[in-house]
Amino acid sequence: MAEKDETVQRFLDLVKSSKRGKFKIYIGMSAGVGKTYRMLQDAHALKRNDFDVKIGFVETHGRPETHQLLYGLESIPTRTIFYKGKEMQEMDVQAIINEHPDVVLVDELAHTNVPGSKNEKRWQDVVEILDVGINVISAVNIQHLESLNQHVVHITGIEVSERIPDSVLAMADEVVNIDLTADELIERLRRGKIYTKDKIQQALNNFFTTTNILQLRELALKEVASQVVRKVEKETNPVQGYKTQRIMACISANENTSKGIIRKVARLANYYNAKWYVLYIQTGRENSNRIPLDKQRHLIKSFKLATEMGAEIIRIQDDDIATAIAKQTIDRQITTLCIGKPQFSFFSLLFNTNVFKNLMKKISEKDVDIVILST
């Protein structure tokens, strides 16, 4: 109990230090570890400290122990939206802003709102709430982090459709990992504390295997450790002589290749707490009159993904690829240049012996690392 009170006190200290709302995220390796339960415990502790705490949206999934913690807490009424002939309930962002509590609880951070809602995603609702000075406590599972999408597919065989950009997690003032061992989580599942009895065996056979849980647990622990490193670097004086990391990713018009590169570079940038860029060089044969419409759509999607994950987009026209990359590398003081393996036309052209040699020659005098990424 003392440890919980300490985490609440840290959040109280954060709340008092800024006009913009403070943001606390509980993160876990999967459903059932206790993120919502801890959020509600926080709410009661804050209420005991005379804070005006409201529930914006909490999903208990019918778990009795979690549901019990709703008592004594006031909820802001949800908004009814009619969609495809059905009544759907969504968090009412404007009602939260109008009531302006000290702290609001917003569960299921990766949730996609029903069409007709104010914002497409719940994390966008949270940003809007924070911007008006309301403090937010939220929760999300590690598999919903955008840059880990392919890792999660590899581990579980499931592609998670609802995801949050890494920049949302980086925005948090405090990230707390709710951790259980694989045996503890599986025991909770067997005892019916996560899903109803009719779903337990299916869950054990599919997602809730020991191997899956261990690997997802590792991802969650690593992510929170990285958050701590970034916080330390941000709040302490930089080491003398330390060079600020600036990373640039080169992408092509190929959607799958580009998204893979963007996610990997986002992870790298988050790890180093680095400013990062995505560079697209439009050659003469890729101008708007020649590039197919599907490729143009792929590019727009890639730019949107990169922007949401915190990158700055650089889009230039140049047939001299080596010179264009070198110029951007030098002008923006890039420390790490990331390019994909030569499986597609752009990268095949880049790895042409003369082009690559020319690039190396132009940046050889600069302290730049070149990373070749699998695509």
Side-chain angles (χ1 to χ4, degrees), residues 158-193:
I158 300 167
E159 180 156 14
V160 178
S161 59
E162 293 188 316
R163 304 191 289 269
I164 65 168
D166 291 48
S167 55
V168 176
L169 206 61
M171 191 189 304
D173 300 280
E174 192 174 0
V175 178
V176 180
N177 184 39
I178 304 299
D179 187 39
L180 293 175
T181 66
D183 289 343
E184 287 172 329
L185 185 61
I186 289 172
E187 180 60 22
R188 282 180 57 80
L189 178 63
R190 291 186 189 281
R191 288 164 58 191
K193 289 182 176 291

Side-chain angles (χ1 to χ4, degrees), residues 26 32 92 98 101 116 120 127 136 162 173 184 193 238 247 266 294 301 317 330 346:
Y26 280 113
D92 194 331
N98 291 344
E120 180 186 354
V127 171
V136 176
E162 293 188 316
D173 300 280
E184 287 172 329
K193 289 182 176 291
I247 302 172
D294 63 325
K301 288 180 181 178
Q317 294 180 329
I330 294 166
F346 173 82

Side-chain angles (χ1 to χ4, degrees), residues 67-176:
H67 193 82
Q68 192 71 26
L69 287 174
L70 294 176
Y71 296 109
L73 297 174
E74 186 179 340
S75 295
I76 295 174
T78 54
R79 181 169 173 250
T80 301
I81 299 175
F82 290 91
Y83 181 64
K84 293 186 176 179
K86 295 182 180 179
E87 284 189 4
M88 312 288 282
Q89 300 300 314
E90 286 290 3
M91 183 171 72
D92 194 331
V93 180
Q94 194 56 54
I96 292 170
I97 292 172
N98 291 344
E99 288 207 27
H100 212 285
D102 296 322
V103 182
V104 66
L105 271 58
V106 180
D107 209 354
E108 305 283 354
L109 187 59
H111 171 76
T112 300
N113 293 331
V114 175
S117 301
K118 189 173 186 181
N119 296 306
E120 180 186 354
K121 300 283 189 176
R122 186 166 289 163
W123 65 262
Q124 294 170 322
D125 294 339
V126 167
V127 171
E128 194 170 335
I129 292 167
L130 289 167
D131 284 343
V132 298
I134 301 171
N135 306 291
V136 176
I137 302 177
S138 191
V140 72
N141 287 326
I142 191 66
Q143 59 263 38
H144 294 286
L145 197 59
E146 180 66 62
S147 69
L148 292 176
N149 178 251
Q150 292 307 305
H151 289 274
V152 173
V153 172
H154 179 72
I155 292 168
T156 66
I158 300 167
E159 180 156 14
V160 178
S161 59
E162 293 188 316
R163 304 191 289 269
I164 65 168
D166 291 48
S167 55
V168 176
L169 206 61
M171 191 189 304
D173 300 280
E174 192 174 0
V175 178
V176 180

Side-chain angles (χ1 to χ4, degrees), residues 250-259 261-262 278-283 285-287 290-303 315 344-347:
C250 299
I251 67 166
S252 70
N254 182 281
E255 181 182 24
N256 294 329
T257 307
S258 297
K259 284 189 172 182
I261 290 173
I262 288 166
V278 167
L279 172 64
Y280 169 66
I281 302 170
Q282 185 181 66
T283 61
R285 56 186 179 180
E286 286 189 341
N287 64 39
R290 296 183 181 181
I291 188 170
L293 286 175
D294 63 325
K295 297 284 186 183
Q296 291 186 42
R297 286 195 294 270
H298 294 339
L299 272 173
I300 292 168
K301 288 180 181 178
S302 295
F303 292 155
R315 184 172 183 173
F344 297 93
S345 57
F346 173 82
F347 297 113

